[in-house]
Amino acid sequence: MAVSLKEVGILFCVVFICYWNSLYCGFVFDDVSAILDNKDLHPSTPIKKLFQNDFWGTPMSEERSHKSYRPLTVLTFRLNYLFSELNAVSYHFLNTLLHAVVCVIFLKVCKLFLDGRTSLIAALLFAVHPIHTEAVTGVVGRAELLSSIFLLAAFLSYTKSKGPDNSIVWIPIAVAVVLVAVATLCKEQGITVVGICCVYEVFIAQGYTLPLLWDIIREIMVGKGSIPYSMLQTLLKLIVLMFSTLLLVVVRVQVIQSQLPVFTRFDNPAAVSSTPARQLTFNYLLPVNAWLLLNPSELCCDWTMGTIPLVESIIDVRNLATLVFFGLLGYLVMFSIRYSGDSSKTVLMSLCLIILPFIPASNLFFPVGFVVAERVLYVPSMGFCMLVAHGWKKLSSRSKLRKLSWIFLALVLFTHATKTFNRNWDWESEYTLFMSALKVNKNNAKLWNNVGHALENEKNYGKALRFFKQATQVQPDDIGAHMNVGRTYKNLNKSKEAEDSYLVAKSLMPQVIPGKKYAARVAPNHLNVYINLANLIRTNESRLEEADQLYRQAISMRPDFKQAYISRGELLLKMNKPLEAKEAYMKALELDGMNADLWYNLAIVYIELKDPNEALRNFNQALELNHKHKLALFNSALLMQESGNIRLRPEAKKRLLSYIEEEPHDANGYFNLGMLAMDEKNDFESETWMKKAIQLQPGFRSALFNLALLYSQTGRELEALPVLDELLRYYPDHTKGLILKGDILMNQKKDIKGAKKCFEKILELDPNNVQGKHNLCVVYFEERDLLKAERCLVETLALAPHEEYIQRHLNIVRSKIMSLNAAGQPVLPTTSTSTISEEKKTPLEKLNEEKDIPKTSTPTKRKNKGQAKSKNQQKKNRDKETKKSTKEIKDIENKRVAALKRLEEIERILGGE
């Protein structure tokens, strides 16, 4: 029976009414690992990696892999990322749409066994059931949704394999096999549809019942009959189905490399329990799951750890629930296979949908990483809803119960829809999700930890610490909880308490047993206790060797522990052992050659080894793997700029522009663009970038100084003064800023007193500063205190005896003193304005006329009047000597400007600005 557009519209409307608020939810719980941290979603990752890695982006070959192989589901995540990157709305919208599609296909399946009205009721019950919120609102639940679509499609295809006169139609079977493979690539449970098809073929398509099968087998065994042709046809189809299933299983085993995933007692306590606790608990979990379908009033996102205490004794009262469950299940199974009526067929197919897809998650054949998971009930709930709808039909067919049955149905649909809508809000954030779970279950340490993590992400460390501590009380042997306490103490700057917590966690780790794989006995992430403890104690310079020992211990336990190599590499750099650091990073790259961060770290090592070319090559390798790697963009551009290679400047600029696209609020990117433009002599662009850097980071030391320097070099000295004032307001002891300001005040504004204060301030900070002291000597000369200028230059020369220009200036001052003494004029400083006004030129101009003493150690673009005018009575050879001296002085000044600029860059790099 076909599905009408009206029915499709009803189901889509109901689904979107129940789930529209899921569009306001973010990425929570397992979404973080599967979406936010999964590099397989990024376009830069080759598509083939999706078929080599597990659901979480971990290579299937690695021991820590979860072995959940769902490449087609990850492919849909990648498509979401392609259109909206990490905008959660698109992911939730697609999940809701897929759920609506599942409802429509499920309706079509129901119509094979129920009438149209009852089928629609079953589909509506499925659409609104609250147990589905984890599969629909949780983005990772898409695996269930996609697998269900192809599972149902495979079953529908197989139902068309019976032709006229019981002939076999092979095309639907071939399509079904392909759809089974696709369903399995979405989630492993997809393969269970083969079992459903087998049951359908025997008991529905061929109409066999258990008594009939028994009679046929008995007759064949006693030789009274042969195998019927219809049964041969059935056997042939079943062989094809089973062979295809076996092939899929073999491929799947090859993919996981014959290794089962590693789970610990924290994930699934019953899995590591002894007999009979293991068997009793696993069997008790079946009625627990059935109760969740029947009464989804208390839902929880995480049922691991101590959520459901172990059933350790046969006299445990919970065993009664197990007996009742198996008794009822046995009755329904026997009813469905003993009789050939429509009712028994409906019950049988309902039970198939309940039981067979649940088997992979039942723990009965192999352990799984959870105790109970609501999302794995997505397909089993189809059979449950079909069974409930069938029961409702039986009740409503009785005149006395018809009205009551409709009221009951309306009440169930309304309450379930309301519960689903409200449950969606729990998935809004990690905090709301885990707090809602704690209302249901307070015996799960993982929930307390997860609430702590949510608070930790919000920087609420004090409150997070309370939840982490509660986790250690609920589960005292939970290594992860003690690690969380230690990390939070560290964030609260309580190093002693943090170390104590890490040591407690370390004491809970099992001892290393030679020849036995460590990961088989504990969660691999628990090895981070060694990393965290080492990272904590290495802040103490006297404990670096102790930290290195912890890293090596982690590596000895797990030679493929990539993070241990990375952290050890960082430590070895700190210990000034770059060659050993290089070896550590190379080992990490052997384990993960596609990790852009590792190539970046290796580039830093080569910088330490003074090999900029190799460093740049590794930066480029990091950018090939991740063209938006921010640190690689920034530091490679800086390395290109530092190289002095003009040909590299365009690429450096391109990378810095890419960096500010990724980090538009980082002033360092704009500052380095300004420095690059300054190297290119593009003054306007340099000014623009510097101003942007200062706007983003007021008080940006390097940007303020270099902007002032830019103004002074381009003849805009007066514009530099307010910039220098701002610089000195934030950094009163900025020596180079004081020198530049003093120069401008003296040469441009003729503010001798202001300049003198600047140079005196420099000498207060650093009495041996040659530039500041020399410039103060010039000030003394401007004040016409030649004796003080002489003493000052003598002291300056003592500080820098190899500076020829200081000796030359001292000789000029002494010559001036001698000439004044010979003329009988006083050498003492003159403050009388009349005496100064009698001079045609200032003392400094006169001194410049004689030997071109620079006014300060920093250049100005203004022409020196004393230098431009020469006395008529001077000889030609004197004029030539003056010009030569002027050129030398300009060269010295230009070199000093370059030196100042370079020193500022080095200071910025070392200071981390």
Side-chain angles (χ1 to χ4, degrees):
M1 187 183 297
V3 177
S4 66
L5 287 176
K6 180 180 178 181
E7 290 170 326
V8 173
I10 290 171
L11 289 174
F12 268 74
C13 287
V14 169
V15 167
F16 278 93
I17 287 172
C18 289
Y19 286 98
W20 69 265
N21 60 333
S22 69
L23 302 180
Y24 295 94
C25 299
F27 295 115
V28 298
F29 202 15
D30 290 339
D31 297 346
V32 176
S33 299
I35 308 295
L36 299 182
D37 298 338
N38 193 347
K39 294 179 181 178
D40 288 347
L41 271 64
H42 301 168
S44 58
T45 303
I47 291 290
K48 67 178 182 180
K49 285 293 180 182
L50 274 64
F51 295 89
Q52 296 172 353
N53 298 343
D54 66 13
F55 188 53
W56 318 99
T58 304
M60 294 292 290
S61 58
E62 290 191 13
E63 197 173 32
R64 63 189 177 93
S65 170
H66 199 275
K67 309 302 181 186
S68 46
Y69 188 65
R70 304 161 193 173
L72 296 186
T73 302
V74 179
L75 183 61
T76 65
F77 293 153
R78 185 167 174 139
L79 291 174
N80 270 119
Y81 188 92
L82 183 64
F83 287 106
S84 63
E85 292 195 350
L86 295 177
N87 183 353
V89 175
S90 71
Y91 294 79
H92 288 294
F93 177 79
L94 184 53
N95 271 26
T96 304
L97 183 63
L98 290 173
H99 179 53
V101 172
V102 174
C103 292
V104 172
I105 301 176
F106 175 59
L107 173 61
K108 189 170 181 63
V109 171
C110 289
K111 288 191 175 187
L112 297 173
F113 311 103
L114 299 168
D115 60 70
R117 184 179 66 180
T118 310
S119 297
L120 182 60
I121 288 170
L124 287 172
L125 286 170
F126 179 78
V128 302
H129 203 297
I131 202 73
H132 299 154
T133 51
E134 183 171 342
V136 180
T137 309
V139 177
V140 294
R142 186 177 299 176
E144 262 73 28
L145 304 175
L146 290 170
S147 180
S148 299
I149 289 174
F150 294 109
L151 181 150
L152 294 175
F155 176 70
L156 286 173
S157 178
Y158 185 81
T159 59
K160 300 175 182 178
S161 64
K162 182 179 178 181
D165 301 324
N166 207 25
S167 61
I168 301 175
V169 183
W170 289 107
I171 292 179
I173 295 177
V175 171
V177 170
V178 172
L179 290 172
V180 169
V182 174
T184 306
L185 290 174
C186 293
K187 192 176 181 184
E188 296 80 358
Q189 68 181 22
I191 200 171
T192 60
V193 71
V194 173
I196 298 173
C197 292
C198 290
V199 174
Y200 172 84
E201 178 65 30
V202 174
F203 294 99
I204 308 298
Q206 301 302 328
Y208 291 114
T209 61
L210 185 61
L212 181 58
L213 284 172
W214 175 248
D215 290 340
I216 294 173
I217 293 172
R218 187 175 57 185
E219 289 180 3
I220 294 172
M221 297 268 304
V222 298
K224 291 184 178 180
S226 60
I227 300 176
Y229 179 74
S230 62
M231 183 172 283
L232 290 174
Q233 293 281 74
T234 300
L235 288 173
L236 181 60
K237 293 168 74 173
L238 294 181
I239 289 171
V240 172
L241 286 175
M242 297 309 296
F243 179 79
S244 62
T245 304
L246 182 62
L247 185 62
L248 286 174
V249 170
V250 170
V251 172
R252 184 69 173 81
V253 171
Q254 288 295 318
V255 167
I256 66 173
Q257 300 185 2
S258 304
Q259 294 178 343
L260 286 175
V262 176
F263 300 115
T264 69
R265 59 191 176 86
F266 299 110
D267 300 315
N268 190 348
V272 295
S273 299
S274 58
T275 303
R278 176 189 174 103
Q279 291 75 17
L280 292 175
T281 303
F282 282 158
N283 282 287
Y284 171 68
L285 293 179
L286 300 178
V288 170
N289 281 280
W291 180 251
L292 287 174
L293 289 174
L294 187 63
N295 179 31
S297 59
E298 292 187 342
L299 300 178
C300 180
C301 64
D302 193 315
W303 295 80
T304 56
M305 292 188 136
T307 303
I308 300 176
L310 295 174
V311 182
E312 299 180 290
S313 171
I314 297 177
I315 61 174
D316 193 311
V317 69
R318 290 175 293 174
N319 290 317
L320 292 175
T322 306
L323 292 174
V324 171
F325 170 78
F326 277 106
L328 180 59
L329 181 64
Y331 170 77
L332 291 174
V333 169
M334 291 305 297
F335 169 78
S336 62
I337 62 177
R338 280 182 65 89
Y339 304 103
S340 59
D342 291 339
S343 180
S344 62
K345 291 180 179 180
T346 302
V347 172
L348 180 60
M349 293 312 301
S350 299
L351 292 176
C352 284
L353 286 170
I354 292 173
I355 297 170
L356 295 179
F358 184 73
I359 286 176
S362 65
N363 283 289
L364 297 178
F365 297 98
F366 49 83
V368 294
F370 52 82
V371 179
V372 173
E374 293 165 12
R375 62 176 175 267
V376 303
L377 294 174
Y378 188 77
V379 177
S381 69
M382 295 179 187
F384 174 78
C385 292
M386 188 187 296
L387 200 60
V388 171
H390 179 62
W392 175 86
K393 178 187 175 183
K394 293 290 185 181
L395 289 175
S396 63
S397 63
R398 302 179 183 181
S399 58
K400 293 182 179 180
L401 298 176
R402 182 176 297 126
K403 191 173 183 179
L404 185 62
S405 65
W406 278 103
I407 293 173
F408 176 76
L409 177 64
L411 184 63
V412 169
L413 288 173
F414 177 77
T415 55
H416 276 38
T418 303
K419 172 68 176 177
T420 298
F421 184 83
N422 291 332
R423 173 67 172 156
N424 290 334
W425 290 121
D426 292 340
W427 293 80
E428 185 177 12
S429 68
E430 293 208 320
Y431 180 78
T432 57
L433 178 63
F434 297 126
M435 285 301 293
S436 70
L438 280 176
K439 294 176 183 177
V440 176
N441 172 31
K442 291 181 171 59
N443 295 322
N444 187 343
K446 190 175 178 181
L447 293 175
W448 292 99
N449 280 320
N450 285 335
V451 174
H453 287 311
L455 292 167
E456 187 179 32
N457 291 336
E458 297 173 358
K459 310 298 182 184
N460 191 346
Y461 298 122
K463 194 173 180 181
L465 182 61
R466 293 198 295 272
F467 281 89
F468 288 141
K469 283 187 172 181
Q470 183 62 35
T472 62
Q473 293 177 13
V474 171
Q475 189 90 30
D477 58 349
D478 182 7
I479 298 172
H482 290 286
M483 289 168 61
N484 293 335
V485 172
R487 186 181 60 256
T488 309
Y489 272 130
K490 181 182 177 183
N491 290 331
L492 291 170
N493 296 318
K494 296 183 178 181
S495 299
K496 180 63 171 64
E497 292 85 349
E499 184 174 349
D500 291 342
S501 296
Y502 286 141
L503 289 173
V504 172
K506 183 171 175 286
S507 69
L508 294 171
M509 299 286 284
Q511 296 298 312
V512 178
I513 302 174
K516 188 171 182 180
K517 287 187 177 180
Y518 184 79
R521 295 171 293 120
V522 72
N525 65 313
H526 286 168
L527 279 173
N528 284 325
V529 66
Y530 294 96
I531 306 300
N532 294 346
L533 182 57
N535 290 346
L536 177 68
I537 66 176
R538 79 183 200 185
T539 56
N540 185 339
E541 294 290 336
S542 65
R543 302 180 70 182
L544 297 182
E545 289 293 343
E546 185 181 348
D548 189 34
Q549 177 61 34
L550 287 167
Y551 291 136
R552 283 181 285 161
Q553 187 174 355
I555 291 170
S556 68
M557 290 180 171
R558 192 178 182 92
D560 64 344
F561 191 15
K562 178 180 65 180
Q563 187 56 49
Y565 291 106
I566 295 173
S567 298
R568 185 165 186 253
E570 295 170 356
L571 176 66
L572 291 169
L573 276 178
K574 186 176 183 180
M575 297 170 71
N576 198 26
K577 298 179 179 179
L579 289 175
E580 291 183 45
K582 174 187 171 183
E583 186 179 332
Y585 285 131
M586 293 296 288
K587 183 63 178 177
L589 279 170
E590 290 178 13
L591 299 170
D592 186 7
M594 301 301 291
N595 190 323
D597 292 335
L598 284 175
W599 289 104
Y600 169 81
N601 290 347
L602 190 58
I604 299 300
V605 172
Y606 280 112
I607 289 177
E608 292 292 324
L609 291 171
K610 305 294 189 295
D611 190 347
N613 293 329
E614 192 64 24
L616 187 58
R617 190 186 71 80
N618 283 278
F619 279 138
N620 292 339
Q621 183 66 36
L623 290 171
E624 281 185 23
L625 295 170
N626 179 9
H627 69 280
K628 293 184 178 181
H629 195 290
K630 291 179 284 191
L631 289 174
L633 284 170
F634 181 82
N635 286 289
S636 63
L638 196 60
L639 193 62
M640 291 176 179
Q641 185 179 357
E642 292 291 317
S643 71
N645 189 336
I646 297 176
R647 290 177 296 177
L648 292 177
R649 287 178 183 172
E651 180 62 23
K653 182 177 181 180
K654 179 182 175 183
R655 294 188 182 187
L656 287 172
L657 289 171
S658 298
Y659 176 76
I660 62 175
E661 284 182 13
E662 296 298 314
E663 290 287 344
H665 302 296
D666 185 3
N668 287 292
Y670 299 96
F671 168 74
N672 281 281
L673 280 167
M675 296 300 294
L676 198 60
M678 191 180 288
D679 291 338
E680 292 285 335
K681 310 299 182 186
N682 191 335
D683 298 333
F684 175 77
E685 186 176 330
S686 178
E687 179 184 357
T688 303
W689 291 124
M690 293 291 185
K691 285 183 175 179
K692 179 65 176 178
I694 295 166
Q695 178 186 348
L696 286 171
Q697 185 180 323
F700 192 161
R701 173 174 171 159
S702 299
L704 286 167
F705 176 77
N706 281 283
L707 179 60
L709 191 62
L710 176 67
Y711 285 148
S712 71
Q713 289 177 335
T714 53
R716 301 160 64 187
E717 290 87 347
L718 296 181
E719 292 182 52
L721 279 177
V723 179
L724 288 168
D725 288 337
E726 185 178 358
L727 171 68
L728 294 171
R729 180 166 60 87
Y730 283 101
Y731 308 100
D733 57 349
H734 195 288
T735 303
K736 292 184 286 295
L738 288 166
I739 289 174
L740 186 57
K741 182 180 178 181
D743 170 68
I744 295 172
L745 288 175
M746 186 164 66
N747 292 326
Q748 301 297 317
K749 299 197 72 175
K750 302 299 183 182
D751 184 356
I752 305 300
K753 290 184 178 179
K756 185 176 182 181
K757 287 181 180 178
C758 290
F759 301 139
E760 287 176 341
K761 175 69 174 177
I762 293 169
L763 295 178
E764 286 179 16
L765 298 169
D766 180 12
N768 297 325
N769 188 288
V770 175
Q771 287 179 309
K773 198 164 186 67
H774 172 265
N775 290 354
L776 185 61
C777 300
V778 176
V779 170
Y780 292 150
F781 188 87
E782 287 285 352
E783 292 177 340
R784 304 182 69 182
D785 192 340
L786 298 180
L787 294 177
K788 199 168 186 179
E790 180 189 21
R791 288 195 302 271
C792 179
L793 285 168
V794 169
E795 293 171 1
T796 308
L797 186 62
L799 293 173
H802 301 294
E803 290 286 356
E804 183 271 337
Y805 75 95
I806 299 176
Q807 180 64 61
R808 191 170 66 249
H809 297 167
L810 177 59
N811 293 338
I812 293 170
V813 171
R814 284 175 173 170
S815 176
K816 183 68 175 178
I817 292 172
M818 290 176 62
S819 63
L820 289 173
N821 287 334
Q825 296 182 15
V827 185
L828 296 175
T830 304
T831 57
S832 170
T833 56
S834 60
T835 306
I836 295 174
S837 63
E838 289 174 2
E839 298 287 342
K840 297 292 183 180
K841 298 178 179 66
T842 66
L844 189 58
E845 286 172 337
K846 287 185 177 182
L847 189 57
N848 285 338
E849 284 181 350
E850 294 179 41
K851 274 292 182 180
D852 296 309
I853 297 179
K855 292 187 177 179
T856 65
S857 297
T858 54
T860 64
K861 296 295 181 181
R862 180 179 66 85
K863 289 184 180 180
N864 190 304
K865 291 181 180 178
Q867 184 177 323
K869 296 181 181 180
S870 59
K871 294 183 179 180
N872 293 328
Q873 62 268 33
Q874 286 179 320
K875 297 180 181 179
K876 291 182 181 180
N877 61 344
R878 182 70 175 270
D879 291 335
K880 290 178 182 178
E881 183 180 337
T882 301
K883 289 177 183 177
K884 181 180 178 182
S885 180
T886 301
K887 184 178 183 303
E888 290 174 351
I889 291 167
K890 284 186 177 180
D891 289 340
I892 292 170
E893 290 172 348
N894 289 333
K895 287 178 182 178
R896 283 187 180 153
V897 165
L900 278 173
K901 179 179 171 184
R902 178 63 183 160
L903 285 170
E904 191 67 15
E905 288 184 59
I906 294 171
E907 182 181 298
R908 170 184 57 74
I909 295 168
L910 294 177
E913 290 185 5

